Structure formats: C-alpha cells, structure tokens
Amino acid sequence: MLSERYATFARELAAYINPLQIMTNPIQTIAYGTDASFYRLTPQLVVEVHNEAEAIRTITLAHQQQLPLTFRAGGTSLSGQAITDSILVVATHHWKNYSISADGLQATFQPGIIGGRANILLAPYGRKIGPDPGSINAAMIGGIAANNASGMCCGTAQNSYNTLADIRLVFYDGVVLDTADPQSREEFAEKHPEILRELTTIHSEIQENKTLYERIQRKYKIKNTTGYSLNAFLDYRDPFDIIKHLMIGSEGTLAFISTITYNTVVNYPNKSCTLMAFDSIGTACQAVPYLKKSPVAAVELLDRNSIRSIEQEPQAPAYFKTLPDSACLLLVEVQATTQEELAHKQQQVQEAVSPIPTLGDFRFTSDPKAYAFNWKARNGLLPTTGALRETGTTCIIEDVAFPLDRLAEASLALQQLFAKYHYDDAVLFGHALEGNLHLVFSQDFSQAASIQRYADLMDELVELVVHQFDGSLKAEHGTGRNMAPFVEREWGEQAYALMLRIKQIFDPHYIINPGVIINSNPHIHLENLKATPATHPIVDKCIECGFCESHCVSEGLTLSPRQRIVIGREIKRLEQTNENPLLLAQLKKEAQYYLDDTCATDGLCAISCPVKIDTGVYVKAIREEKLTAKNHQDALYFVEHLDRVTQMGRYSLKFVRLFQNMLGNRSMLRIATKMRKISNNRLPQWNTAMPTGTATALKQPTPTTTAKPKVVYFPSCINRTMGKSKDYDKSELDLKDLIVVLLERAGYEVIYPTDVQNLCCGMPFSSKGFQEEGLQKSTALETALLTASEQGKYPILFDMSPCFYTFQSHHTTSDFTCYDPIEFVLDVVFPLLPITKPREEATIFPVCSVKKLGLEGKLLDIAKRCAKKVYAIDSNCCGFAGDRGFTFPELNQHGTRNLQQQLSSNSLNCSDGFSTSRTCEIGLTASSNHSFKSIFYLIEEVTR
C-alpha cells in the first residue's frame, strides 16, 4: 500500500503521462528491486519515462514534493546504484534514438541504447565507443556513462570520461543543459549561476592547494571510480567542461543523462588473442609490466578458480584441466589495421614477455571460434564463477586497482586475505594492464556470524587496498552502496569534503539517488542484503546480472527472465519466513500472468546467459507442477488422437474463413475482439493473418521402384492443419503441397512416415508443461522416422525450425540425418536446382529456434542467393510463441512493436518476407503490411 505522499505523487504524475507507465503493483516493484549487486530495495513505485519531457515532469514533481528518485537504464550495476526504496525512474525502451556525425568520428546516443548495439551502429564506419565493459551486450549507454565503465581494451584512455564530447542533462528542478548548445549554456547560466560560481571556486581552491592537487593527480594515475571525478577540476577550467566530466562516474546522483555524445575510437579490423599460462599469479603479474611496453590492446588475468569455472565448456582447451592449482592465465590481445602489422605486433609481444617463463608455448589466434571462446569466457566470468557458489549464498564482486609495479605483491596479499577468512571459492580476474582486479566470492547472509565475517573482510580489504598499496577501492564498477562508507578513508578528509560540496551543489535537497556514493551510514554496505533462497535447480545459479534481458520478448511488457527468477525467489522466501501472507498470496496469484502466461519459453535468454540458464525451461517446470491428473488424462487423449484433433482444426479454420469472407477483415476483427472480451479472454484472438484449414488432407504417396533418390518428409502438425492466410496468392499451394512440388522438382521421391497424421515433435505438449506426453510423441516420431528412412538410409526433412529444434533436443544421438529447412535448402536443394528467377529484394526473419541452432548466417546466405538486396529483421522473438499469439496477443504485439518501423525504414520495396515457422509468420503478417511465408515459397519461386 502506497503512503499518502507517494499516492499523491502517482496521482498527479498520471495527469501528464500514461498511468500504465506508473507501476505500483507489488509484483512489478519487487521485480525492479534488484540490479546485479547483492542488495535489494523495493521501490514504492516505478515510473517508465518515454522521453525527455516525461523525465522532466517526473523529476520536477519529485522535487516539488521532496521525494527521492533513482534513475535506471539496464540495471547491470554491481554496487547497488540502480535500486531504491522510493521512486525508480526507468529510461530504456523509448530511449533508442541516435545520430552519427563526422563520418563516424562522433555519435550521440540516448541512455537506453545497449553498448553492443551502439558498436553495431558504428561498425560500418570502422569505429566503436571507447568503453568496453564485459557487460557491453546488456549494459546501456546511460549506465555506462554514469558509472564511467571501462573494460578490457579501453583502459582509462578510452573510457567515457576521456571520450566524452558533449552531454545533455536534466537537473533536480527540471532545468535542462545541453553542453553542445551555446544558447542552452546561456540559459543555464541565468537559471543556475550559483552552480557555475561554486564549481569555479572549487577549481581555484584545488589549484591553490598543492597537497590536494597532487593527491588528486596521483589517484588518477590508475583506474579509479571511487567518489566523484575530482580530476575534472585538474583537467578543465571552464565550468561547463567541469560539469560534463563530473557527470561521468556520478552514478545518477547529480543529474539525469538525456543524451551523450562520444568521440568514437578506431575499431581495428584485424585482431588476435592468445592465452599465456604461468605457474602462479605472482609470475603472471611479473609479466604484465613487460607486456605494458609492448603493442598489446588488452591483458586479462584469470586465476586458477576462474579457469576452473570455464574448463568444462566444450570449446575449452584440454590443458585447462591439467593446470596446477597455483596456475594463472593472461589473455592477451593485439589489434592492427593490416594482417602484416598484426603479425609484427604478435612477434613484438612474444619477444617482450620472453624473460618470464610460461607453462608451455603459446600462439596467437584469429580463428573466429577460438577467439570468440576466449573473450566470451572472460566476459562471462562473473556469472560463471558466481554459478559455482553454494545454493542459497550470494555472489559478491569487489573491484580494486593497484599501482602496476605492485600488482604481483598485491595479488598475493589478496589471496592471503581470502584464505584468512576462509573464502576458499574466491576468484581473482581482471584487467591486469591497468592493475585492476575483480574479486568474486560467495557469501552467506542468512546468519549474523557470516555477515560479521564479511564485515571483517571488508575492513581488512579497505586497509590493504588504501593504506598498504595506495590503490583504488573501486576501479570501474562504481562506488554504489558497498563502498560508500569508505570513500573518505580512501580519499582523505579534504577531498571528501569537496565531494560533499559537489553533491550539495547539484542536489541541494538530497533527493537524487540518495545513499549512493555519499552516505553517512558506516554500515550501509551491510544493510538491505539480497536473499537468494533455493528456488529451483534450473535457476539457482542465477546471480541476477541481467545479461538475459536484452533477448527477452516479454521484457518491458510483464517480466524479464531475471525478474521472473526474482519473483520466484521472493515467493519462496515468503513461504519460508511466513512474514507477509497477504503479499505471498498476491504474488502467487499475479505470477500466473506475469511470470507464466506471458513467457514465450523461447529459450533465447540462455544464449546470452554465460551459465546457460533457460528461464523458459524453468517456466515449463512451473507449469508442470500445476498440472492435475485430469490435465494429464486430457493430454493423453490428444496424444493418442492427434489425427482427429488436426482434422477438427482444419474444419474449424475453414469455418472461420467463411465468416471472414462474408464480413471482411475490419468487421471480423471487431466482432472477434468483442467476443474475446465477453469471454473474459478465454476465446483465442482472431487476427487478419489467421489461415484457413489446409485444402486437402495429407495423402500417403504410392511407393515406386524408380531409381530416384528418396527423402523422408515430416510435415508438422501445424502445417498439416493450417493452410494459406488471406494474404497469400490464390494460385499458391499449401506449404505441405508446395514442398512436395519442390522436392520432386529436385528429383526426389517423397516418403511420409507411417501414420504421419498422428505424429508430432512433442512441442505443443512440452511447452505447456506436459513433459512426459511431449517425450512420448517425440519418441513415437523418432521410431516412425527411423522406419521411413530405412534406418537412416534417406535424409529427413522437417518443414519448421521449431519442430526440428524440439526433436533434435530430445534425440541428439539418433542414427539418421535430420534437416532443418535452412540446412536442407543449402545442402540438398541448391546443389540440384539452379536459381532461374532471382528476386531483386527479399526480407527474412530468423525465428528463435534458428538463433538457438546458430543458423542465422545460413538463412541470410539463402536469401542472398535468391535476391540481390536482402534485409534481415533485427528482433528477438516475435512473441507469437506457438499459440500464445492467439491466447495472449499482447505478447506478439509487444514483440513486433518495432517491426513496421523497421520494414518502412529499410531500402527495400518488397511486400513480403520469409521465415521458417508458420505461427511466427502469422504474427509477423498481422503486425505489418508484409505477407510472411515459409522460406520454401521463396525457394520454389526462384527455382521455378
């Protein structure tokens, strides 16, 4: 229940922005109460702002009512910067605008653009943004800048602070400053002369205080994001330049970043990397100064526990498992404009490091698979090492930096410190070239004694880093909450006093992300600790890093994979503690829709998850737990009589088409929508792309004795039921019939499995939690295919990628060759059928299973052979998710919300598109003015 103050705020804000953007529902506020840190705070309300005007209104109203607010983009922050128990302002989905200027030398981004996406946009110019954090494919520009995130290759020279061109800000009272606009500067000077005056005063004081000046100068000789960027007063005199650079690393505590303009950096076309193995971390660190003098782009340190977390990966080198317990790796990268330059740099690196003995030889590689594995393993070390922790404990990451000449000594001291407090699973890895180490370990927060152990460790860690080595307590992950109590201890009284003044200058009422960076509570790092109770074996490894969110179709509609896990954990915690039965009952009730019903279970989240957590499998397990004996009995009828079910489906679809022909699309849609509403959404939602039933039932062909090569064709139950949509040409055949024509054109005799009308891959069952029934159908299909192919003698074609993927995941060791439509076309059809009528243009959409199978490139290859110009739609799941597009159409609408814009903005004029899943094609057609069909229609057309 909202307090009166927050209820008033929500009510008044709703007069200016859509009330649906103001979330007070506990299942949503709890879901947003986490970031990648080990803290949890539940906001009173979450406001999703869609543009700067809405941000200004929200900030101004909070200022007027003196209510604290916190800004959030991707929520991948590691120190508790993006959570609050007040108002959380989320700037993501509608903050995707950008502009690239000066032939790619500068780029302006809104805060909701993912860092990896920014680099994709800059790639045609041979440029990229400077910051390259390990979370770059999940972290957004707003957070990257606000935390001054750096990473593997950028060091300090190419971080946000040093590549910043201009910035647009919204201050605590709604005043806007665009540092690139002279008029905006003038207006700001009129409205806030005191800010400019105070900054000028601080600049003069630092310049006149030799001790303080040298202290600041020395602190930034190594990586440092503890506190505010005091180096801005050394590097700049103009107060607007100082403002710009103070905002970098301010963690949203001084103003809201509306846009940021970067000076981009070169993205070298030629890259290679190598893994150097050493007998100890001390020896590895001794090699770093030698490498520093060589032409390396990055040097990443991985201790033995880091290696252990990835040594079971299929692509991991075999020698990983044989390394001694004291071993350490350095991942070294070189970059160059040409291959010749690259080879020369590789030689220079090998010569530079020769004085330090390595465990065996090493060589550089540019092989895409080996290169990708090395960096994927490094970028995912936080989640992969976190996944090794004991269930119920929390993953903690600290981030420190040391002078490079003392890195070896400091590394050994850290290992001794962890041994002293019995953190035996502690992992050290990081950016050795910058003396920057990440410390990952698991912590039990369920007992007072274990919390005290952590507190003691932190006290000694601060002593070690600050007083013994004069290092940085935070090198790139931001101060947040967990280092806020120690900022003064690291910087000293004078510098900390300046930070207090900076906070006062920009946030006089202390309402912008309070508690972060500046915090008078000496124990804040021990409060609001995240509980991670054992929930389900599928998700217990999750550290809530948020890497999955950019691949989730329901993120922004209901919950993301991370948020589904958060809600599952909170339900489990409340069940164990029984502290709030009413909240528990509400969460369980609403989880049906938010957690279950609107999950596409497409598994794309597992692609970006370093530990391959498939939240879709977790949701299917939840669905299975809810099933009753009656549910299984009903499912068994479908299993045994699928032929009757598909026949009934054909007749029903033809009946619906009859009404569509009589009423027209507009009237049909209006009536169908009203009937669905009257039924309380129990009736499926009809859409204009709804197909009719297939024209004819499948007929088993008569076997021949010809010498033609044979192919076993398994038409999916979907394509045995669903025929053409209204948008298809009348002369076109149903897909199952068109494929036969195509196969015969290629010279094949088609064989159907026996009892094909009753066969299914099992996905319609398993996706709803009927795992046993799904496996039963899949096993029956395997038996039928084995017989039809004469024990693997003939190839087998699936006509939909999702069916192929489901079957393959159940039967990876089957003794026959099965083909997805994409590989079948490439490997079987194209060698036999010349392309006689290539198109001018073609649009393709790779469905989820194609992404999981790694066939996106091959689908693009097909399209490029068939058309001179090709456009691949940039999207995750379309949200149709089997039948969910009919039962929960909002999921499909959300998944395709940017589809029409993409199709309109590309340079192609074609009015159709191609894919490999019938239900996805229905959803794509209904959401656009394009007619989406199977890729087989394109192949048939160009080989006709």
Side-chain angles (χ1 to χ4, degrees), residues 69-72 79-83 142 145-147 169-172 225 227-229 246-257 478-481 484 499-519:
L69 44 74
T70 292
F71 309 124
R72 176 181 177 126
S79 303
Q81 304 97 307
I83 55 174
N147 290 284
L169 304 162
V170 180
F171 291 87
Y172 71 94
T225 59
Y228 291 119
S229 301
L246 276 176
M247 293 302 152
I248 303 300
S250 65
E251 301 174 35
T253 63
L254 303 181
F256 172 77
I257 298 175
T479 309
R481 286 176 160 77
M499 294 183 188
L500 292 176
R501 285 172 63 184
I502 290 168
K503 177 65 174 175
Q504 180 67 27
I505 289 169
F506 290 99
D507 185 18
H509 305 293
Y510 206 66
I511 64 169
I512 303 177
N513 209 4
V516 169
I517 297 182
I518 303 298
N519 199 312

Side-chain angles (χ1 to χ4, degrees), residues 32-35 70-75 82-83 88-92 549 562:
Y32 276 104
T34 187
D35 58 8
T70 292
F71 309 124
R72 176 181 177 126
I83 55 174
L88 186 67
V89 180
V90 180
T92 54
E549 292 190 331
R562 167 168 63 173

Side-chain angles (χ1 to χ4, degrees), residues 211 214-224 226 400-407 409-410 413 434-435 460-475 486-492:
T211 301
E214 291 179 350
R215 174 65 176 161
I216 296 171
Q217 191 177 52
R218 186 169 63 253
K219 287 293 293 176
Y220 286 102
K221 286 185 177 179
I222 60 174
K223 273 189 176 184
N224 183 6
T226 308
V400 298
F402 303 101
L404 193 58
D405 60 353
R406 303 195 68 186
L407 180 61
E409 181 187 356
E434 304 296 333
E460 282 206 41
L461 178 66
V462 171
E463 180 69 23
L464 185 153
V465 174
V466 173
H467 296 129
Q468 186 174 344
F469 293 101
D470 195 21
S472 305
L473 287 171
K474 282 296 179 182
F486 309 110
V487 175
E488 184 175 6
R489 199 182 306 183
E490 175 177 334
W491 273 97

Side-chain angles (χ1 to χ4, degrees), residues 1-2 22-33 40-46 559 563 566-567 570-571 574 580 582-588 590-591 594:
M1 179 69 72
L2 282 179
I22 306 171
M23 295 171 254
T24 59
N25 188 336
I27 199 167
Q28 294 173 295
T29 56
I30 290 171
Y32 276 104
R40 176 162 293 151
L41 289 169
T42 301
Q44 292 283 323
L45 52 88
V46 178
L559 300 177
Q563 292 173 332
V566 167
I567 295 302
E570 182 64 4
I571 288 173
L574 291 173
N580 194 334
L582 290 178
L583 176 60
L584 175 61
Q586 182 177 358
L587 289 180
K588 283 186 171 181
E590 296 192 352
Y594 282 87

Side-chain angles (χ1 to χ4, degrees), residues 443-456 526 529:
Q443 173 66 45
D444 180 9
F445 286 130
S446 64
Q447 304 292 330
S450 59
I451 295 177
Q452 185 59 50
R453 179 176 70 131
Y454 171 68
D456 293 341
L526 304 175
L529 301 170

Side-chain angles (χ1 to χ4, degrees), residues 632-657:
H632 285 288
Q633 183 180 348
D634 292 342
L636 190 59
Y637 175 85
F638 282 81
V639 167
E640 295 174 347
H641 303 96
L642 188 62
D643 53 346
R644 299 180 189 176
V645 175
T646 55
Q647 184 181 45
M648 187 179 301
R650 287 198 300 273
Y651 292 151
S652 299
L653 289 172
K654 289 180 179 180
F655 182 71
V656 172
R657 173 59 61 85

Side-chain angles (χ1 to χ4, degrees), residues 59 100 117 144 169-170 261 288 387 403 412 691 775 811 817 918:
I59 293 167
I100 298 174
R117 174 64 179 165
I144 289 173
L169 304 162
V170 180
T261 301
V288 174
L412 294 173
L775 184 58
H811 307 286
T817 303
R918 185 69 183 98

Side-chain angles (χ1 to χ4, degrees), residues 609-846:
C609 175
V611 291
K612 303 295 184 289
I613 295 173
D614 189 336
T615 312
V617 175
Y618 168 55
V619 171
K620 291 176 186 177
I622 292 175
R623 292 172 184 173
E624 185 176 20
E625 291 170 1
K626 297 176 184 177
L627 297 174
T628 64
K630 178 64 166 59
N631 295 144
H632 285 288
Q633 183 180 348
D634 292 342
L636 190 59
Y637 175 85
F638 282 81
V639 167
E640 295 174 347
H641 303 96
L642 188 62
D643 53 346
R644 299 180 189 176
V645 175
T646 55
Q647 184 181 45
M648 187 179 301
R650 287 198 300 273
Y651 292 151
S652 299
L653 289 172
K654 289 180 179 180
F655 182 71
V656 172
R657 173 59 61 85
L658 179 63
F659 278 91
Q660 181 183 5
N661 291 336
M662 292 170 55
L663 298 171
N665 285 347
R666 185 176 299 180
S667 297
M668 182 72 176
L669 182 60
R670 184 176 65 252
I671 294 171
T673 302
K674 184 175 292 186
M675 291 178 65
R676 174 173 163 80
K677 187 175 181 180
I678 293 173
S679 73
N680 198 23
N681 293 339
R682 290 186 179 89
L683 287 176
Q685 176 63 58
W686 180 89
N687 64 50
T688 55
M690 182 79 81
T692 185
T694 52
T696 58
L698 204 64
K699 296 180 180 179
Q700 188 77 29
T702 303
T704 68
T705 57
T706 65
K708 285 184 178 181
K710 296 178 175 58
V711 60
V712 177
Y713 169 36
F714 169 61
S716 66
C717 56
I718 291 292
N719 288 323
R720 299 197 307 265
T721 305
M722 292 183 172
K724 298 183 294 184
S725 296
K726 192 78 170 178
D727 51 276
Y728 281 44
D729 189 280
K730 290 183 179 180
S731 63
E732 289 180 313
L733 299 171
D734 290 334
L735 179 62
K736 63 179 180 58
D737 301 319
L738 177 131
I739 288 177
V740 172
V741 169
L742 185 63
L743 292 172
E744 291 177 345
R745 183 184 299 166
Y748 277 95
E749 179 183 333
V750 178
I751 300 171
Y752 293 124
T754 302
D755 196 24
V756 64
Q757 299 283 19
N758 208 33
L759 295 177
C760 174
C761 68
M763 181 171 55
F765 300 93
S766 60
S767 65
K768 292 178 173 56
F770 294 99
Q771 300 298 331
E772 185 177 337
E773 290 83 353
L775 184 58
Q776 182 178 340
K777 291 303 291 183
S778 186
T779 302
L781 176 59
E782 180 187 34
T783 301
L785 293 177
L786 194 61
T787 301
S789 66
E790 295 187 15
Q791 311 304 307
K793 184 178 179 181
Y794 311 127
I796 299 166
L797 168 64
F798 284 70
D799 60 10
M800 285 193 6
S801 293
C803 300
F804 171 78
Y805 178 82
T806 301
F807 180 79
Q808 187 193 55
S809 63
H810 285 153
H811 307 286
T812 55
T813 59
S814 295
D815 295 326
F816 45 74
T817 303
C818 293
Y819 282 97
D820 172 271
I822 295 170
E823 290 195 313
F824 185 83
V825 168
L826 283 173
D827 297 349
V828 178
V829 176
F830 276 160
L832 297 172
L833 282 180
I835 295 175
T836 58
K837 297 180 179 180
R839 276 181 162 224
E840 287 295 318
E841 302 168 334
T843 298
I844 57 171
F845 179 84

